[in-house]
């Protein structure tokens, strides 16, 4: 009988006949990194499932800030032990998507191969390392083979539910825990598939204090589950793989979602039985959404804004998304930004202890507001360059227009950006294309109607006089004087104070008249400075627009 205290070398050799390396071999191959004590080594470990979301970027940004603020490094590890979930091209999607938002890795998987001396960085290529660690646990008496099938495991869970106890493989339910060596050998020789399970020695009645980098001191119960650490194909489960990888890659700090808190006792026990120092764990809160007055977790099924592709397709500027995530990561970031409007977010003293542990509320409207602030800090040339690269990938029609009219569009986008109160109305590429669509004769349309106080007859009179008096050489002041004359000559008033005192005496005011002209020229009631737009569009196009509108009237 193989007991907890004595699991023979013979069993380890039976289970792992081809494993000829030891843990000491890998300790020498992957030595402690030569960094300052304060430096943090972080990792992002996504699965190649073909979907990368805002939560991945959020976690990656935390990883990146922790590593680089401490003069450490961040690496990319692909956790691809589940072949069923693997989607072709996922690695490229992960790397390119994160790179789009400014996240680049110092080490690990890259598009040009692997970078670093602590690989392989794909879990599917690390089977030998995992099996060496598994053999070590078997020799130590802390792991054993289990021949329980999925059907048998399901029956155990059903019985546990009937008895009202916790489900899992533990205690009296762990029927393979004390099989004799002879039985194990006989089963293996008969070709029975097996998994390797941890022989847990934990007691869930014992509570332990644990310091989480985000949540502070929390209480966790000891693990008593004999969890699977190697699947039937010899590939490890997440529990075992990440422990082995984090140790040999010398990870100091792990950032992961709060959904892993329930399995933390398993991971703590695995580090303990392996005799390794565990990394610092930082469990982030879920990104939440407010709906019907309640908060819920962002959902892949319900919320398209969870996908990073959503922001890439709409053409959100990476700086804007990063800036917004920083406000979610540390509540004092916004105050810092107000005091340091010109500084890079990388100069902010980010701290995990200042992160929320109750769920960060994601608000698309706030992202849009922050995006406006970010874009006003960018030059028009930077905005145009980004729009060209965005449209090349996501909107070929926009790309053609942007290239054709690039010089004029830079002028259009520059209107009102100077001065103490610059215009803040640009959000993302899709919105900007809609915003400047009035400039293009291609697919031009009149979006808005005339102001309510301007009748069709008034509109005709105003626009006909405007055409007769329009002189493209007029200065802004000369142009506005002509608009005032047209206003006063058609029953409206250019004196707004007078209009407020005695509105019944007039059809409307100069705002109504200038808006009528604006609708005829750009198809909208609101736009940047009209005189400036006309100067860029040119006299012929302005007159043609007004003439066309008069035809429609």
């Amino acid at each position: 009988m193989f007991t907890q205290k004595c699991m023979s070398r013979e069993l380890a050799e039976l289970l792992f006949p081809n494993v000829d390396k030891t843990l000491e071999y890998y300790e020498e191959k992957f030595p402690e990194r030569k960094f300052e004590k304060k430096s943090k080594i972080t990792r992002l470990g996504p699965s190649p499932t073909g979907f990368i979301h805002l939560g991945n970027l959020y976690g990656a940004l935390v990883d990146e800030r922790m590593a680089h603020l401490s003069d450490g490094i961040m690496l990319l590890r692909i956790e691809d032990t589940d072949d069923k979930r693997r989607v072709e091209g996922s690695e490229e999607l992960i790397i390119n998507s994160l790179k789009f938002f400014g996240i680049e890795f110092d080490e690990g998987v890259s598009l040009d191969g692997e970078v670093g001396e602590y690989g392989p960085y794909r879990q599917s290529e690390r089977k030998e390392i995992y099996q060496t660690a598994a053999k070590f646990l078997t020799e130590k008496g802390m792991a054993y083979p289990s021949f329980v099938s999925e059907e048998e495991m399901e029956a155990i869970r059903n019985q546990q539910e009937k008895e009202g106890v916790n489900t899992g493989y533990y205690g009296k339910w762990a029927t393979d825990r004390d099989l004799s060596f002879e039985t194990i050998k006989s089963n293996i020789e008969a070709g029975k598939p097996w998994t390797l399970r941890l022989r847990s020695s934990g007691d869930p009645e014992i509570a332990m204090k644990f310091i989480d980098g985000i949540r502070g001191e929390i209480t966790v119960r000891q693990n008593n589950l004999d969890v699977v650490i190697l699947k039937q194909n010899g590939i490890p489960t997440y529990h075992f793989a990440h422990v082995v990888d984090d140790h040999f890659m010398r990870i100091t700090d792990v950032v992961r979602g709060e959904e892993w808190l329930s399995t933390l006792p398993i991971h703590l026990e695995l580090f303990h039985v392996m005799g390794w120092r565990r990394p610092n764990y930082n469990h982030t809160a879920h990104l939440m959404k407010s709906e019907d007055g309640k908060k819920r977790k962002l959902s892949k099924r319900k919320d398209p804004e969870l996908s990073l592709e959503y922001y890439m397709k709409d053409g959100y500027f990476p700086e804007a998304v990063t800036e917004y995530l920083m406000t979610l990561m540390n509540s004092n970031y916004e105050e810092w930004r107000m005091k340091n409007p010109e500084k890079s977010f990388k100069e902010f003293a980010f701290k995990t202890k200042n992160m929320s542990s109750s769920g960060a509320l994601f608000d698309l409207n706030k992202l849009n507001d922050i995006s406006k602030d970010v874009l006003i800090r960018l030059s028009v040339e930077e905005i145009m360059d980004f729009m060209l690269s965005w449209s090349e990938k996501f909107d070929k029609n926009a790309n053609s227009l942007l290239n054709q009219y690039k010089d004029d569009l830079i002028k259009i986008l520059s209107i009102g950006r100077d001065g103490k109160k610059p215009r803040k109305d640009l959000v993302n590429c899709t919105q900007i294309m809609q915003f400047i669509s009035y400039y293009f004769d291609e697919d031009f349309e009149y979006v808005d109607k005339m102001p309510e106080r301007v009748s069709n007859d008034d509109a005709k009179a105003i626009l006909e006089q405007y055409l007769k008096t329009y002189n493209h050489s007029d200065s802004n002041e000369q142009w506005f004087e002509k608009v005032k004359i047209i206003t006063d000559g058609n029953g409206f008033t250019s004196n707004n104070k007078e209009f407020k005192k005695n509105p019944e005496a007039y059809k409307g005011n100069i705002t109504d008249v200038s808006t009528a002209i604006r609708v005829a020229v750009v198809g909208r009631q609101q736009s940047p400075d009209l005189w400036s737009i006309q100067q860029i569009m040119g006299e012929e196009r302005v007159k043609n627009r007004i003439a066309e509108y008069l035809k429609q009237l």
Side-chain angles (χ1 to χ4, degrees):
M1 181 77 69
F2 287 87
T3 66
Q4 264 187 329
K5 293 180 180 178
C6 179
M7 180 66 79
S8 72
R9 182 175 295 275
E10 195 175 356
L11 177 58
E13 290 299 330
L14 175 66
L15 298 180
F16 303 101
N18 299 318
V19 174
D20 58 358
K21 293 184 175 63
T22 63
L23 289 185
E24 288 74 20
Y25 168 82
Y26 291 109
E27 294 290 350
E28 290 182 16
K29 184 174 182 179
F30 305 119
E32 292 286 349
R33 295 175 183 267
K34 295 178 181 178
F35 280 87
E36 296 291 330
K37 192 173 182 179
K38 68 178 181 66
S39 298
K40 300 181 185 299
I41 314 300
T42 66
R43 50 78 168 171
L44 188 70
S47 299
T49 59
F51 182 76
I52 183 162
H53 56 77
L54 198 65
N56 296 132
L57 178 60
Y58 182 72
L61 189 56
V62 177
D63 276 319
E64 188 274 332
R65 290 290 75 214
M66 288 178 70
H68 294 152
L69 281 171
S70 65
D71 296 322
I73 63 166
M74 174 191 184
L75 63 85
L76 175 63
R77 182 172 75 217
I78 299 297
E79 300 189 346
D80 58 350
T81 57
D82 190 346
D83 283 339
K84 294 177 183 177
R85 298 181 65 211
R86 185 183 184 92
V87 175
E88 196 65 34
S90 291
E91 287 185 16
E92 292 82 357
L93 175 67
I94 291 166
I95 294 168
N96 287 331
S97 297
L98 292 174
K99 185 177 181 180
F100 180 88
F101 292 100
I103 303 292
E104 296 196 57
F105 299 90
D106 306 296
E107 183 176 309
V109 177
S110 75
L111 297 179
D112 300 319
E114 293 193 346
V115 178
E117 299 176 356
Y118 287 77
Y121 295 92
R122 293 179 183 85
Q123 288 185 335
S124 59
E125 298 171 10
R126 297 173 63 82
K127 184 175 180 179
E128 183 182 77
I129 304 174
Y130 304 131
Q131 296 212 341
T132 300
K135 184 175 182 179
F136 166 79
L137 280 185
T138 307
E139 290 173 339
K140 203 177 171 188
M142 297 305 300
Y144 65 91
S146 174
F147 302 91
V148 175
S149 66
E150 275 296 318
E151 293 75 20
E152 291 170 322
M153 195 63 227
E154 183 63 28
I156 290 172
R157 282 191 287 265
N158 290 337
Q159 185 59 37
Q160 288 170 331
E161 288 174 358
K162 285 181 182 178
E163 295 185 20
V165 298
N166 292 331
T167 58
Y169 200 74
Y170 64 94
K172 71 174 185 178
W173 309 100
T175 53
D176 285 357
R177 185 180 174 102
D178 293 313
L179 294 177
S180 68
F181 177 78
E182 290 73 21
T183 301
I184 294 171
K185 184 176 180 182
S186 176
N187 285 342
I188 290 175
E189 288 175 349
K192 278 192 174 183
W194 56 274
T195 59
L196 192 73
R197 289 183 178 272
L198 169 70
R199 186 187 296 277
S200 175
S201 58
D203 182 352
E205 296 301 314
I206 298 177
M208 304 177 294
K209 297 296 183 184
F210 177 82
I211 305 299
D212 184 276
I214 293 172
R215 295 158 192 274
E217 185 176 275
I218 60 175
T219 300
V220 295
R221 300 280 174 178
Q222 287 188 0
N223 170 62
N224 72 324
L225 296 175
D226 286 6
V227 294
V228 173
I229 56 177
L230 286 187
K231 294 178 276 190
Q232 290 181 359
N233 58 4
I235 296 298
T237 57
Y238 168 79
H239 302 306
F240 194 50
H242 101 269
V243 166
V244 174
D245 291 343
D246 286 348
H247 174 71
F248 284 122
M249 292 180 183
R250 308 300 177 179
I251 303 301
T252 64
D253 290 77
V254 172
V255 177
R256 60 185 188 181
E258 64 181 312
E259 65 271 17
W260 293 106
L261 270 171
S262 61
T263 58
L264 179 61
I266 297 171
H267 306 149
L268 295 179
E269 184 174 17
L270 283 169
F271 274 106
H272 175 70
V273 297
M274 291 300 302
W276 295 335
R277 183 179 70 249
R278 66 166 178 81
N280 300 311
Y281 281 102
N282 305 269
H283 291 89
T284 61
H286 290 307
L287 293 179
M288 310 294 284
K289 182 176 184 176
S290 181
E291 186 175 77
D292 300 327
K294 297 180 181 179
K295 286 170 68 173
R296 66 166 175 81
K297 182 182 172 184
L298 276 175
S299 160
K300 178 180 177 180
R301 182 172 59 86
K302 294 181 179 179
D303 307 307
E305 66 268 31
L306 181 60
S307 170
L308 287 189
E309 191 175 21
Y310 174 90
Y311 305 95
M312 296 166 73
K313 279 187 173 180
D314 267 7
Y316 277 88
F317 287 65
E319 299 92 331
V321 177
T322 299
E323 188 82 3
Y324 178 59
L325 291 180
M326 289 297 297
T327 69
L328 297 183
M329 284 161 54
N330 272 186
S331 58
N332 58 330
Y333 180 78
E334 290 183 78
E335 182 183 352
W336 176 87
R337 172 53 74 200
M338 289 176 68
K339 293 177 181 177
N340 303 279
E342 303 303 322
K343 287 187 177 181
S344 165
F345 74 91
K346 293 181 179 181
E347 296 183 55
F348 172 71
F350 165 74
K351 291 182 174 64
T352 53
K353 68 178 182 180
N354 291 337
M355 293 184 72
S356 169
S357 60
S358 61
L361 187 62
F362 179 80
D363 183 347
L364 194 59
N365 290 326
K366 186 172 181 181
L367 167 59
N368 290 339
D369 287 340
I370 286 176
S371 190
K372 292 174 183 178
D373 289 332
V374 169
L375 264 62
I376 204 64
R377 295 198 296 266
L378 298 177
S379 70
V380 175
E381 289 75 18
E382 287 174 313
I383 292 173
M384 180 57 66
D385 287 344
F386 181 79
M387 290 186 68
L388 284 167
S389 63
W390 162 79
S391 59
E392 175 63 32
K393 185 174 183 180
F394 294 106
D395 191 335
K396 296 295 184 183
N397 182 57
N399 185 257
S400 175
L401 293 171
L402 290 168
N403 276 297
Q404 184 177 351
Y405 301 110
K406 180 179 177 180
D407 293 341
D408 276 0
L409 294 178
I410 286 176
K411 296 174 185 175
I412 287 284
L413 292 174
S414 298
I415 298 173
R417 284 176 62 89
D418 299 325
K420 291 182 179 179
K421 290 188 176 181
R423 275 180 33 242
K424 293 183 180 180
D425 43 19
L426 305 182
V427 177
N428 59 45
C429 293
T430 299
Q431 178 265 343
I432 293 173
M433 286 304 299
Q434 294 169 347
F435 183 75
I436 62 175
S437 62
Y438 62 79
Y439 173 82
F440 309 113
D441 288 333
E442 297 87 344
D443 302 321
F444 173 76
E445 60 180 344
Y446 294 99
V447 177
D448 294 332
K449 295 179 180 179
M450 280 285 155
E452 191 176 347
R453 292 194 288 256
V454 177
S455 68
N456 269 18
D457 288 341
D458 287 329
K460 288 178 183 177
I462 290 166
L463 295 177
E464 284 172 353
Q465 290 175 44
Y466 186 73
L467 265 181
K468 288 178 182 176
T469 61
Y470 183 79
N471 185 338
H472 199 66
S473 300
D474 284 345
S475 66
N476 198 338
E477 292 75 16
Q478 291 170 325
W479 170 82
F480 190 59
E481 283 301 316
K482 289 181 178 179
V483 174
K484 287 167 71 175
I485 292 170
I486 293 172
T487 300
D488 294 331
N490 284 278
F492 296 78
T493 178
S494 59
N495 188 328
N496 282 327
K497 289 184 179 179
E498 181 62 28
F499 181 71
K500 285 182 180 179
K501 287 181 184 178
N502 193 15
E504 295 82 7
Y506 306 97
K507 294 178 181 178
N509 63 4
I510 192 167
T511 301
D512 297 307
V513 173
S514 60
T515 300
I517 298 168
R518 190 184 306 274
V519 170
V521 176
V522 301
R524 304 170 190 187
Q525 289 196 11
Q526 293 184 331
S527 75
D529 180 66
L530 182 59
W531 178 82
S532 300
I533 291 173
Q534 292 177 144
Q535 292 300 299
I536 297 167
M537 288 178 64
E539 182 174 4
E540 184 178 354
R541 291 180 67 197
V542 171
K543 288 184 174 180
N544 286 343
R545 288 274 179 92
I546 296 171
E548 182 59 36
Y549 197 84
L550 281 168
K551 286 181 186 177
Q552 294 191 24
L553 288 174

